[in-house]
Structures are given as C-alpha cells and as structure tokens.
Amino acid sequence: MGKGRRALAAVGTVAVAGALCGLAFFSKSSYPTVTVQLPANRAAGYTWVCSVKPEGSFVTVGTRYAPEDGDDPDGGGVETFVLQSRSQGTSQVSFACVDGDDGSIDSTATYEFTTEGSTIRSSGTTADISDTLMAPFEAKVAAGNAA
C-alpha cells in the first residue's frame, strides 16, 4: 500500500443508464442500472468488493476488469461494476478494495444513489483511494502531458 492517500470528492466514472452515450434506455418494466468504474490492480492482489444499504436495494449484475495497457497487465486498470436498482428511494453503495496478501482494506469509495421510477440519480460520492491504485493513472497522465 502506498504511504500517501488521496481523498477524492469523486472517483472513477459513474454512468447512469440513459444519461450517457452508449447506454441503453430501459422500459418501465425493467430495473434501471448504473455503471461504476474504479481504479484497480488485480496483478498486485487487490480486489474490490461491494456492499449495499439497505440490503438488496442494488444487486451486482456484472463485473469486468480491464488493464489500462494490454501490454502491461501489471500496471493497473479499471474495475467496472454494473449495478441494478431493485427498490425506489435512496441507497448507499460502498466499495472496499481488499489487499489479497493480508485482507486489509486498501481503499474505499461510497456512492449515494436515488432511484425514482426508472431513473437513478447520483447524489453524492466520497472516496479514499491509495497511491498504490492511483499511481498507474497519474503516470499515464504525466506521460500524456510530456508528449
């Protein structure tokens, strides 16, 4: 784990179904979904896990890990969660990045979502992401700025 930590007002990307290009609109009979993307590094043994309050208000319907650079899978990547709302009202979706070596929590991110009908609104995000997870992204930005 890196010595420094980053306290962020927003982390990763949150895409609410129907709000961004490339996402499908859902009929009234379907449950709406939201996509959350977090910095990750599976090669270093880190795994994101999700918990929800109230329990059952959101369920994970898909996850995917993609390395940032296919030629350097150890350099970090992005963990994508597709979450489906199963109830109306406000829910808190929390993520913890667990270190596979000792089971400690390396980083956290918490989102507050409000579901109204077939719409999900994000009403708040807090995060504490370690340097271990952020370093590959900062290096990529620095390399892009140097070019």
Side-chain angles (χ1 to χ4, degrees):
M1 175 166 91
K3 292 182 182 180
R5 302 196 60 85
R6 306 262 191 255
L8 304 174
V11 64
T13 302
V14 176
V16 178
L20 300 176
C21 295
L23 296 174
F25 287 91
F26 295 91
S27 71
K28 290 182 181 179
S29 63
S30 296
Y31 293 111
T33 63
V34 63
T35 300
V36 175
Q37 293 183 312
L38 298 163
N41 193 336
R42 283 194 180 169
Y46 294 99
T47 304
W48 284 101
V49 294
C50 178
S51 65
V52 178
K53 290 181 185 175
E55 189 174 328
S57 59
F58 275 84
V59 295
T60 302
V61 294
T63 61
R64 182 175 48 94
Y65 174 78
E68 226 10 69
D69 179 354
D71 295 331
D72 182 17
D74 294 339
V78 175
E79 188 83 28
T80 301
F81 291 83
V82 179
L83 306 168
Q84 188 175 66
S85 177
R86 293 295 179 96
S87 66
Q88 299 294 301
T90 301
S91 301
Q92 186 178 64
V93 181
S94 299
F95 296 89
C97 187
V98 179
D99 184 332
D101 292 333
D102 62 12
S104 64
I105 295 176
D106 176 77
S107 300
T108 61
T110 301
Y111 298 86
E112 187 170 288
F113 295 119
T114 301
T115 304
E116 295 174 356
S118 61
T119 303
I120 301 171
R121 284 185 296 105
S122 176
S123 53
T125 302
T126 57
D128 184 14
I129 306 296
S130 72
D131 285 345
T132 302
L133 294 179
M134 291 303 294
F137 296 98
E138 291 171 347
K140 183 177 180 179
V141 169
N145 289 338

